[in-house]
C-alpha cells in the first residue's frame, strides 16, 4: 500500500493546512466503513491482522489531521522538519509565557478561580491568534512553492511555524493547568 | 450475474446457517441477554422477565444460585450472597477501600485482586462470580434459541479501564462464551437508538447504572456511529444513591452505618445485616419515588439495635440526598462536552440509559444540565443489551451497514524516571490505534529497562492505574543515553492494549508482547510473556512487515520531497547514492521481508546523512537568525 504512508493520502485529501473538517470527517467515515476490523471479524487471521493495521493507520491519520496543531506539525514533518520532545523556545519568546505561567500559578495557589477563568479565556484568544499566524505562514509556504522562489522563501515561514508550534506546547500546558484548577472547584 | 434481491442490511438466505450469537448487558444490579431475529433485536425473557439480578448465592454444599433465587437469600445470608460484583471486577483491595464498609459481604485480598469468602470456606473472585451470571444468561439464550450459542458481545462501561475490561473478557471465557467483542455500554445504547429511529446527528448518552456512570458523545451519520468523547466514573451509580439515602436516614435516627475504617476487612455480622437491609430499603424507597411523590423508609428496631425507623422520604429529600452524586455526573458531562469541543446547544438530543435514569430526580437533573428533555422511549434497562445484540449480528456477518468507531476512554503511558507518566495514547483516540516511542537509557552501563504501563489522566505514576510491569533485559552496557528501546502500544477494536518493547542499539532484536495483567502473580505474568512471545511470533512477523512498509513509505515520501525541494543542498554523489538506496528500498517494500525493508531504510538513512545534516544546519541557522550568538551556542550545547 504505497499511499499508506501519508495521512492526507489515506483520507484522499490534498496536503494543506486548511482542511474542511466536514470533508475530512466524511472521508474518514467512508473509509472506516470499508476498513474497520468489524468488517473482517470472520476473515482469516492474516487478513484480520492486515485490516487491523490499516484501520489503525486510518484512525491515526484522522487523529493527526483533525486538530490544527497536530496537522501543522505533521505538515512540517512532511517537509523534513521535526520538533523534538525537548525543544525549547529562544529566551526572548520564552520569557513572556513563563511570566504568564507564574501569574496563573499565583491565581491557582490563591484559589482565585474567577481570575483563572479570565486568564484561560485570554490564553485561548492567544492560541487562536497564533493558529491564525500558522495559517498565514503556511499560505506563504504555498505561495513560495508555487512561485518557485529561493529556498529561503519556503524555509523562513516553516521556521516561523515551528517556533509557534513549540510555543503551542507551552500554551496547551497552560490551558491544561487552567482546566485542572477549574475542575477541582 | 446474480441479482441481489434483499434490501441492504436485511437478512438474506444466509439466515439459516448464521451462527447463533447474543448480546449481553452484564450490569451491576441486573443483567440481560438479547438476540437479533428477523433483522431486529429483542431481549430474551426467562422466568421473572428479561432481567436477571446480578446476584450469586453460594451454598455450603457447593451449590450456586443465580438471579432472583440468589437475591432472595441476600438478607438471611449476606456474606454468601454476592451482589454488585461489577464494582470489584479488575480491582484490587486498595481501589475499594471506601466501598468495603458499605458492602454486605466480606472482601479480602491484596492490591491486585480481591476475593470473597463464601459458604463452604471457599474464596471466589469477581471474575468467577460474573462468570456465574454469564452462564445463567447463556443458558437462557440457548433454551430460547434452541441450540448452543457460538459467540457473544458483552458490554462494559465506557469508562472501564484496561484491567476491568480484561477481567470481563475472562469472565466470559470462564462462562464458556466466545467473547466476540467488548462494547461500551453507551455506544451500544446509541446503536439501538440510532437504528430504531434512523437518527442522524450528535447525541449525548447519559448512562447511570447500578454502579457505574458513563457519559458519551456520539455522532451518527449514515450507519456510522462515531464516539466523539467519553467519560464518567466507574464507581458511581444507583447503588451509591441507595447508600447515601440509607446513610442519611440512619444518621438522622442516630444509627451509624459503615463506620468501619478503610483497613478493616471485616464487619460484624449484625452490621452486615443492617447494611444489607438498610440499602435494600433505600432502594425500595427510591424506586417507589419514581411513581409516588413520597414513600416511607422503615426498618425494624431489631436490626438497628433498638431504634425503629419510619421516615417519610419525599422527592425533594431524594434530590437532596442525591445532589453530591448528581454533581459528580454533571462535572463529567461538562468535561466530555469540552473534550468533544461541543457546547450543549450543539447536541441533537440526550439519551437516557440505565435503571437509575428511571428516577425523576435524575431525569430532571439531566434535563436541566443539557437544556433539553432527554429521550427515554426505549426501555433504559434494555437498550444496552439490544445494541449489543446488533453488534453481535454485525460481527457474525449479519447486517453490514453499521460501523462503530469507539475510543479509548483513558490515556495510556509509561513511567519515566522520577515517576512522571509519559502518555503514548491520549484519551478519546479512535480505536484501533497504536503509538511508538523511543526511550533511552538513563544510567551508565544500564543493562535492562523496567517498563511500567499506566492508564489514567494524572501526571504521576502513583496516581494512575498500574496495568503491567515487565523488564526488558539484554541491553549492552554503554554510557547513559546511548541505549535505546522502542516501545509500541497497540489497542485493538475491543480497547484492549498490547505493549511491545524492542531493544534497538544492537540490531539484535528482543521483542516481547505483554497483555496487561490484573490480579496475576509475577510467575503468571512471566509465563504469559513467554507464551505470547512464542505464539505471537507469526502475528508479529506480519505486523512487523506492515509497520516497516509504513515506515518505508513515510521515509521514501519525505526523502523524495526533500530531494525535490532542497536541490541546492544535495551533492551529486549523495544524490546518486541516495537514489540507489531509494531503488533498493522500493524493491524491498515490494517484497515480503520486513528485515530487508528495515536494512534498506537504514541504508537510505546512511546514504542521505550528509544531505540531512546540511538541511538541519540550515534549519538551525534559520531558527537562530536574530538571536545572540552566545544564546545559540548555549542551545546547541544543551
Amino acid at each position: 500500500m504505497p499511499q499508506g504512508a501519508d495521512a492526507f493520502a489515506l483520507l484522499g485529501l490534498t496536503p494543506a493546512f486548511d482542511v474542511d473538517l466536514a470533508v475530512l470527517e466524511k472521508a474518514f467515515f467512508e473509509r472506516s466503513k470499508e476498513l474497520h476490523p468489524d468488517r473482517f471479524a470472520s476473515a482469516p487471521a492474516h487478513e484480520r491482522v492486515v485490516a487491523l493495521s490499516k484501520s489503525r493507520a486510518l484512525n491515526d491519520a484522522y487523529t493527526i489531521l483533525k486538530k490544527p496543531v497536530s496537522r501543522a506539525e505533521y505538515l512540517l514533518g512532511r517537509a523534513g522538519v521535526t520538533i523534538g520532545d525537548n525543544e525549547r523556545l529562544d529566551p526572548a519568546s520564552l520569557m513572556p509565557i513563563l511570566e504568564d505561567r507564574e501569574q496563573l500559578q499565583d491565581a491557582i495557589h490563591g484559589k482565585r478561580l474567577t481570575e483563572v477563568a479570565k486568564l484561560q479565556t485570554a490564553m485561548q484568544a492567544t492560541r487562536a491568534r497564533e493558529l491564525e499566524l500558522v495559517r498565514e505562514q503556511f499560505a506563504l509556504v504555498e505561495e513560495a512553492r508555487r512561485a518557485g522562489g529561493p529556498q529561503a522563501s519556503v524555509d523562513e515561514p516553516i521556521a516561523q511555524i515551528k517556533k509557534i508550534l513549540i510555543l503551542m506546547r507551552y500554551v496547551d500546558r497552560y490551558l491544561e493547568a487552567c482546566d485542572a484548577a477549574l475542575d477541582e472547584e | 450475474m446474480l441479482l441481489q434481491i434483499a434490501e441492504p442490511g436485511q437478512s438474506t438466505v444466509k439466515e439459516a446457517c448464521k451462527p447463533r450469537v447474543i448480546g449481553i448487558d452484564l450490569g451491576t444490579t441486573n443483567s440481560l441477554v438479547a438476540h437479533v431475529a428477523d433483522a431486529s433485536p429483542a431481549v430474551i425473557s426467562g422466568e421473572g422477565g428479561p432481567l436477571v439480578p446480578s446476584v450469586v448465592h453460594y451454598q455450603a454444599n457447593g451449590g450456586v444460585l443465580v438471579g432472583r433465587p440468589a437475591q432472595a437469600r441476600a438478607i438471611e445470608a449476606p456474606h454468601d450472597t454476592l451482589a454488585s460484583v461489577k464494582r470489584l471486577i479488575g480491582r484490587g483491595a486498595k481501589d475499594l477501600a471506601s466501598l468495603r464498609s458499605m458492602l454486605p459481604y466480606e472482601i479480602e485480598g491484596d492490591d491486585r485482586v480481591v476475593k470473597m469468602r463464601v459458604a463452604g470456606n471457599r474464596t471466589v473472585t469477581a471474575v468467577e462470580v460474573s462468570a456465574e451470571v454469564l452462564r445463567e444468561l447463556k443458558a437462557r439464550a440457548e433454551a430460547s434459541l434452541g441450540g448452543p450459542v457460538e459467540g457473544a458481545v458483552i458490554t462494559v462501561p465506557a469508562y472501564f479501564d484496561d484491567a476491568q475490561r480484561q477481567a470481563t473478557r475472562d469472565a466470559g471465557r470462564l462462562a464458556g462464551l466466545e467473547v466476540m467483542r467488548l462494547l461500551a455500554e453507551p455506544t451500544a445504547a446509541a446503536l439501538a437508538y440510532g437504528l430504531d429511529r434512523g437518527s442522524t446527528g450528535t447525541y449525548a448518552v447519559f448512562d447511570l447504572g447500578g454502579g457505574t456512570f458513563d457519559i458519551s458523545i456520539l455522532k451518527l451519520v449514515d450507519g456510522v456511529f462515531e464516539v466523539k468523547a467519553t467519560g464518567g466514573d466507574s464507581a458511581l451509580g444507583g447503588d451509591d444513591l441507595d447508600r447515601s439515602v440509607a446513610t442519611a436516614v440512619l444518621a438522622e435516627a442516630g444509627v451509624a452505618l459503615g463506620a468501619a475504617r478503610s483497613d478493616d476487612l471485616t464487619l460484624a455480622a449484625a452490621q452486615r445485616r443492617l447494611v444489607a437491609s438498610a440499602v435494600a430499603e433505600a432502594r425500595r424507597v427510591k424506586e417507589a419515588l419514581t411513581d409516588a411523590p413520597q414513600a416511607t423508609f422503615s426498618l425494624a428496631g431489631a436490626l438497628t439495635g433498638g431504634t425503629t425507623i419510619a421516615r417519610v422520604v419525599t422527592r425533594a429529600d431524594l434530590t437532596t440526598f442525591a445532589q453530591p452524586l448528581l454533581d459528580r455526573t454533571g462535572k463529567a458531562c461538562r468535561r466530555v462536552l469540552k473534550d468533544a469541543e461541543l457546547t450543549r446547544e450543539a447536541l441533537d438530543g440526550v439519551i437516557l440509559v440505565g435503571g437509575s435514569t428511571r428516577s425523576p430526580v435524575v431525569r430532571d437533573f439531566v434535563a436541566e444540565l443539557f437544556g433539553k428533555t432527554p429521550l427515554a422511549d426505549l426501555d433504559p434497562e434494555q437498550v444496552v443489551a439490544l445494541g449489543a445484540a446488533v453488534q453481535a449480528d454485525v460481527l457474525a456477518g449479519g447486517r453490514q451497514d453499521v460501523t462503530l468507531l469507539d475510543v479509548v476512554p483513558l490515556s495510556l503511558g509509561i513511567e519515566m524516571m522520577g515517576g512522571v507518566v509519559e502518555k503514548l495514547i491520549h484519551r478519546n483516540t479512535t480505536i484501533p490505534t497504536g503509538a511508538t516511542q523511543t526511550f533511552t537509557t538513563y544510567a551508565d552501563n544500564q543493562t535492562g529497562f523496567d517498563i511500567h504501563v499506566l492508564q489514567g489522566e494524572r501526571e504521576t505514576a502513583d496516581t494512575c492505574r498500574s496495568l503491567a510491569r515487565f523488564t526488558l533485559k539484554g541491553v549492552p552496557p554503554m554510557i547513559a543515553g546511548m541505549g535505546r528501546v522502542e516501545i509500541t502500544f497497540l489497542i485493538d477494536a475491543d480497547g484492549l492494549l498490547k505493549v511491545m518493547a524492542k531493544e534497538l542499539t544492537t540490531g539484535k532484536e528482543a521483542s516481547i508482547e505483554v497483555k496487561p495483567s490484573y490480579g496475576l502473580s509475577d510467575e503468571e505474568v512471566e509465563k504469559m510473556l513467554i507464551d505470547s512471545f512464542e505464539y505471537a511470533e507469526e502475528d508479529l512477523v506480519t505486523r512487523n512487515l506492515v509497520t516497516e512498509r509504513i515506515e518505508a513509505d513515510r521515509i521514501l515520501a519525505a526523502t523524495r520531497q526533500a530531494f525535490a525541494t532542497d536541490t541546492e543542498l544535495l551533492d551529486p554523489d549523495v544524490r546518486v547514492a541516495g537514489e540507489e538506496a531509494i531503488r533498493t528500498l522500493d524493491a524491498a517494500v515490494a517484497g515480503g521481508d520486513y528485515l530487508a525493508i528495515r536494512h534498506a531504510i537504514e541504508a537510505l538513512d546512511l546514504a542521505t546523512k550528509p544531505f540531512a545534516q546540511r538541511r538541519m544546519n540550515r534549519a538551525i541557522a534559520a531558527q537562530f537568525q536574530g538571536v545572540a550568538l552566545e544564546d545559540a551556542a548555549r542551545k546547541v550545547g544543551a
Side-chain angles (χ1 to χ4, degrees):
Chain A
M1 33 172 204
Q3 84 281 29
D6 187 75
F8 289 99
L10 273 177
L11 284 149
L13 299 174
T14 317
F17 179 69
D18 281 317
V19 164
D20 182 336
L21 290 178
V23 172
L24 173 67
E25 188 183 75
K26 189 158 189 285
F28 174 61
F29 285 179
E30 288 311 315
R31 282 162 175 75
S32 292
K33 284 184 185 178
E34 294 157 27
L35 291 179
H36 196 275
D38 288 1
R39 288 284 95 77
F40 300 85
S42 40
H46 64 277
E47 278 182 39
R48 286 209 308 270
V49 170
V50 173
L52 189 61
S53 107
K54 280 188 180 173
S55 177
R56 262 185 203 124
L58 178 68
N59 289 340
D60 296 346
Y62 180 58
T63 302
I64 288 168
L65 297 189
K66 71 180 168 183
K67 303 263 167 130
V69 171
S70 51
R71 190 163 63 230
E73 211 165 301
Y74 185 74
L75 280 165
L76 286 202
R78 287 176 103 255
V81 178
T82 54
I83 304 178
D85 282 336
N86 295 314
E87 299 225 26
R88 304 241 183 282
L89 282 178
D90 58 276
S93 317
L94 189 57
M95 266 334 255
I97 185 115
L98 289 184
E99 280 163 13
D100 287 349
R101 187 65 200 238
E102 219 162 286
Q103 189 187 1
L104 174 68
Q105 254 7 78
D106 270 356
I108 292 174
H109 203 71
K111 304 226 178 298
R112 299 190 298 276
L113 293 180
T114 20
E115 189 184 336
V116 173
K118 226 192 231 160
L119 291 172
Q120 186 180 35
T121 312
M123 190 54 85
Q124 275 158 349
T126 305
R127 192 178 193 278
R129 267 200 310 278
E130 294 293 338
L131 274 180
E132 196 42 52
L133 288 178
V134 169
R135 171 171 290 118
E136 284 167 16
Q137 296 297 320
F138 270 117
L140 290 179
V141 172
E142 277 311 302
E143 210 171 288
R145 279 191 185 143
R146 255 201 314 274
Q151 186 56 33
S153 63
V154 172
D155 288 347
E156 205 164 299
I158 284 192
Q160 278 302 320
I161 294 165
K162 177 168 175 170
K163 198 172 141 185
I164 298 172
L165 293 180
I166 298 171
L167 175 72
M168 275 305 184
R169 293 183 175 182
Y170 291 91
V171 170
D172 285 342
R173 243 170 284 154
Y174 181 102
L175 291 172
E176 274 168 29
C178 294
D179 274 344
L182 294 172
D183 230 27
E184 278 184 12
E185 95 198 79
Chain B
M1 186 185 153
L2 289 171
L3 285 176
Q4 176 95 25
I5 41 177
E7 290 286 314
Q10 297 287 309
S11 51
T12 60
V13 273
K14 279 192 303 183
E15 189 72 52
C17 55
K18 227 169 65 181
R20 243 175 246 108
V21 294
I22 53 175
I24 293 176
D25 175 3
L26 180 62
T28 307
T29 319
N30 292 302
S31 298
L32 69 163
V33 54
H35 162 76
V36 171
D38 305 325
S40 66
V43 297
I44 297 172
S45 268
E47 215 176 301
L51 296 183
V52 175
S54 307
V55 182
V56 179
H57 173 75
Y58 291 87
Q59 295 172 312
N61 65 7
V64 176
L65 298 175
V66 178
R68 273 170 224 289
Q71 202 172 32
R73 312 286 160 101
I75 304 292
E76 66 182 65
H79 44 288
D80 299 325
T81 309
L82 309 180
S84 300
V85 292
K86 189 174 181 179
R87 307 191 73 141
L88 313 178
I89 203 160
R91 296 265 155 165
K94 205 165 72 180
D95 303 320
L96 302 169
S98 60
L99 186 63
R100 190 181 290 136
S101 63
M102 294 306 297
L103 285 174
Y105 46 85
E106 283 177 47
I107 57 177
E108 51 191 69
D110 52 26
D111 285 345
R112 308 292 296 168
V113 67
V114 293
K115 289 173 178 168
M116 281 70 70
R117 189 166 294 280
V118 292
N121 204 25
R122 270 188 294 170
T123 57
V124 291
T125 62
V127 169
E128 291 165 290
V129 180
S130 299
E132 294 293 352
V133 177
L134 290 171
R135 250 183 227 121
E136 169 70 21
L137 295 167
K138 178 173 180 254
R140 264 188 185 210
E142 291 179 341
S144 161
L145 303 177
V149 161
E150 275 142 281
V153 168
I154 302 178
T155 59
V156 289
Y159 213 55
F160 253 22
D161 65 29
D162 198 82
Q164 291 166 307
R165 283 169 199 248
Q166 295 278 3
T168 304
R169 187 171 256 282
D170 285 353
R173 219 166 17 218
L174 208 56
L177 287 166
E178 197 219 314
V179 183
M180 305 158 80
R181 172 65 46 84
L182 297 175
L183 178 62
E185 286 160 11
T187 311
L191 185 54
Y193 257 95
L195 296 180
D196 191 59
R197 323 174 124 219
S199 307
T200 288
T202 307
Y203 291 83
V205 181
F206 185 99
D207 179 357
L208 188 62
T212 58
F213 168 65
D214 282 331
I215 173 74
S216 290
I217 311 272
L218 284 107
K219 183 154 189 182
L220 281 57
V221 181
D222 213 8
V224 177
F225 291 71
E226 186 206 16
V227 179
K228 289 273 181 203
T230 196
D233 191 330
S234 63
L236 174 64
D239 276 12
D240 299 279
L241 181 50
D242 300 342
R243 286 195 193 95
S244 52
V245 171
T247 312
V249 172
L250 265 63
E252 274 176 15
V255 179
L257 182 58
R261 298 187 313 278
S262 62
D263 58 347
D264 182 3
L265 274 170
T266 58
L267 284 166
Q271 179 77 358
R272 271 205 303 274
R273 255 199 311 280
L274 172 62
V275 171
S277 311
V279 170
E281 179 62 4
R283 175 171 307 158
R284 192 193 63 75
V285 167
K286 178 189 75 181
E287 285 167 5
L289 287 172
T290 298
D291 300 313
Q294 60 181 59
T296 305
F297 181 107
S298 37
L299 269 189
L303 281 164
T304 62
T307 324
T308 302
I309 299 171
R311 154 75 142 102
V312 173
V313 180
T314 63
R315 275 193 192 163
D317 289 334
L318 188 61
T319 305
T320 309
F321 299 145
Q323 206 56 54
L325 304 175
L326 293 175
D327 288 343
R328 272 164 74 190
T329 68
K331 201 163 127 179
C333 290
R334 283 189 289 273
R335 184 168 117 165
V336 139
L337 277 171
K338 195 167 183 308
D339 279 356
E341 296 180 0
L342 290 170
T343 59
R344 64 179 200 170
E345 288 74 24
L347 296 175
D348 294 296
V350 182
I351 297 170
L352 291 181
V353 181
S356 300
T357 62
R358 284 191 189 286
S359 172
V361 166
V362 176
R363 288 190 181 196
D364 292 347
F365 175 80
V366 175
E368 194 180 330
L369 184 66
F370 287 98
K372 42 180 68 84
T373 311
L375 305 167
D377 39 332
L378 292 184
D379 185 331
E381 274 175 302
Q382 297 191 355
V383 64
V384 167
L386 295 174
V390 172
Q391 176 69 349
D393 185 46
V394 168
L395 293 175
R399 73 184 302 157
Q400 295 295 300
D401 58 347
V402 166
T403 308
L404 291 188
L405 302 172
D406 222 324
V407 298
V408 50
L410 293 154
S411 302
L412 290 152
I414 68 166
E415 180 175 356
M416 308 289 290
M417 269 308 280
V420 174
V421 180
E422 173 79 14
K423 290 181 182 128
L424 270 80
I425 295 175
H426 291 270
R427 70 167 189 269
N428 294 322
T429 303
T430 307
I431 54 173
T433 186
T436 298
Q437 211 161 310
T438 304
F439 298 91
T440 52
T441 44
Y442 53 80
D444 288 344
N445 301 323
Q446 181 185 344
T447 55
F449 277 91
D450 284 323
I451 294 155
H452 187 195
V453 183
L454 296 145
Q455 185 164 30
E457 305 313 317
R458 307 280 294 276
E459 295 291 323
T460 57
D462 56 341
T463 51
C464 285
R465 179 160 192 78
S466 169
L467 291 180
R469 271 177 199 275
F470 60 97
T471 304
L472 184 71
K473 296 194 180 79
V475 179
M478 57 189 115
I479 59 164
M482 292 302 286
R484 291 190 306 146
V485 66
E486 183 187 86
I487 310 250
T488 300
F489 277 27
L490 294 173
I491 299 181
D492 64 16
D494 278 325
L496 295 177
L497 170 73
K498 276 182 185 164
V499 179
M500 292 179 298
K502 193 186 292 173
E503 208 286 300
L504 294 175
T505 39
T506 47
K508 189 191 86 179
E509 289 174 31
S511 296
I512 42 176
E513 201 168 320
V514 59
K515 277 170 73 179
S517 57
Y518 68 93
L520 293 173
S521 70
D522 284 346
E523 288 91 315
E524 286 168 312
V525 176
E526 199 75 18
K527 187 181 174 306
M528 217 162 71
L529 288 178
I530 293 161
D531 288 352
S532 62
F533 184 38
E534 282 170 6
Y535 299 129
E537 203 152 68
E538 204 180 312
D539 278 0
L540 214 60
V541 168
T542 316
R543 187 163 38 231
N544 280 338
L545 182 57
V546 173
T547 321
E548 294 297 346
R549 279 185 174 154
I550 290 172
E551 178 64 7
D553 287 337
R554 191 186 65 75
I555 285 170
L556 282 169
T559 310
R560 287 188 170 121
Q561 173 88 22
F563 273 21
T565 50
D566 294 351
T567 326
E568 74 282 12
L569 297 179
L570 192 55
D571 282 332
D573 48 345
V574 174
R575 175 185 282 279
V576 170
E579 275 168 356
E580 172 65 28
I582 286 175
R583 270 193 298 279
T584 312
L585 182 52
D586 269 334
V589 169
D593 182 355
Y594 77 89
L595 279 176
I597 301 176
R598 186 172 304 165
H599 292 146
I601 290 174
E602 282 161 9
L604 175 58
D605 210 12
L606 202 65
T608 55
K609 213 170 195 150
F611 174 59
Q613 195 62 49
R614 293 180 68 180
R615 295 183 80 219
M616 196 188 294
N617 288 344
R618 190 171 61 182
I620 290 170
Q623 205 190 342
F624 286 149
Q625 256 162 19
V627 177
L629 198 60
E630 53 185 296
D631 282 336
R634 195 161 64 225
K635 275 191 75 173
V636 172

